[in-house]
Amino acid sequence: MMQIQHNLMEAIAFQTAKEGKDYCGDSFFMTVKNDIFLCILADGLGSGKAAFEASSSVVDFVKEHLELDVETLIQECNKLLVNKRGAAVSIMKIDLRKREFIYSCVGNIRFFLYTPSGKTMYPLPVTGYLSGRPQIYRTHRFSYETNSRFLLHSDGLKLSNSKTFIQSGRPLEAIANEIERDHIRKTDDSTFILGSLL
């Protein structure tokens, strides 16, 4: 597991490859810089080395271009995937001072935000995947309450009731350990990122 601790948030990420595979087709990166949390999760089509090469290429690009806005990042990621396998890609930036999300996703990556007041936000992704072809993008911008929690995950994670699960009030690490133990499909690459916004 990878963990980020910041005075305004914490996040935990876990990743595992499909059973029997040397490469995980998912790639992710998360960091906090100048009170901005940036996170990318990419799910390469299929599994194995070609899926890894597709997903890791976009993640590596984002690591090197943290200053770009979300819309530009996802457009550039699409260009990188010409002649590669293709990937579902989700990118978010959170301004931890303004308490504001900027989020964009193409493909089957899921994102949920749960607030203490009981509100759930689920920005709908654009269907399909990035492949270098012309693509429609949708960027969501919204504010959040103090002590909200979020879950971002690829399709190897299966949770039947994520809202109750995430809003249980337990420490993030305990929730992450239970997800890893009980809700990961071994028949697919799996990645999840769990966060608490203080």
Side-chain angles (χ1 to χ4, degrees):
M1 283 196 192
M2 177 184 175
Q3 193 161 7
I4 284 181
Q5 291 281 352
H6 183 272
N7 62 320
L8 294 173
M9 74 165 301
E10 64 173 317
I12 295 176
F14 172 82
Q15 183 173 82
T16 186
K18 179 179 178 179
E19 194 169 50
K21 294 288 184 181
D22 294 328
Y23 290 88
C24 180
D26 294 352
S27 297
F28 76 93
F29 172 71
M30 59 181 186
T31 188
V32 178
K33 186 175 182 180
N34 299 325
D35 296 328
I36 301 292
F37 173 74
L38 180 141
C39 174
I40 176 171
L41 173 55
D43 180 352
L45 298 186
S47 59
K49 188 175 182 181
F52 166 76
E53 288 173 350
S55 66
S56 62
S57 68
V58 297
V59 168
D60 289 344
F61 176 84
V62 170
K63 284 182 186 178
E64 298 299 319
H65 298 87
L66 301 179
E67 75 286 355
L68 296 178
D69 60 52
V70 168
E71 294 92 337
T72 303
L73 285 171
I74 202 156
Q75 289 168 9
E76 293 301 316
C77 287
N78 188 42
K79 293 176 186 176
L80 285 172
L81 291 172
V82 173
N83 299 323
K84 289 188 173 69
R85 177 74 67 84
V89 177
S90 169
I91 302 174
M92 76 166 85
K93 282 191 176 185
I94 307 175
D95 188 319
L96 300 171
R97 293 290 177 188
K98 294 180 180 177
R99 295 196 175 96
E100 182 181 64
F101 267 91
I102 302 171
Y103 176 81
S104 187
C105 179
V106 176
N108 61 354
I109 295 170
R110 299 291 175 252
F111 172 74
F112 301 91
L113 176 72
Y114 305 103
T115 69
S117 62
K119 187 177 179 182
T120 302
M121 301 191 77
Y122 171 55
L124 290 174
V126 173
T127 58
Y129 55 90
L130 299 185
S131 64
R133 285 176 254 166
Q135 177 67 57
I136 295 171
Y137 306 99
R138 185 182 303 131
T139 301
H140 303 267
R141 186 184 297 261
F142 51 91
S143 58
Y144 62 88
E145 301 171 25
T146 301
N147 296 320
S148 295
R149 287 183 166 184
F150 67 85
L151 174 65
L152 180 72
H153 68 86
S154 63
D155 58 357
L157 175 64
K158 294 299 175 189
L159 280 177
S160 57
N161 192 348
S162 58
K163 182 176 181 179
T164 302
F165 199 72
I166 303 304
Q167 288 185 318
S168 64
R170 292 184 296 154
L172 284 190
E173 190 168 356
I175 296 171
N177 287 334
E178 184 175 340
I179 292 174
E180 178 187 352
R181 185 184 67 240
D182 298 333
H183 300 280
I184 298 292
R185 293 192 318 169
K186 294 182 178 180
T187 56
D188 200 354
D189 301 313
S190 301
T191 305
F192 68 83
I193 299 166
L194 184 63
S196 180
L197 301 162
L198 309 177

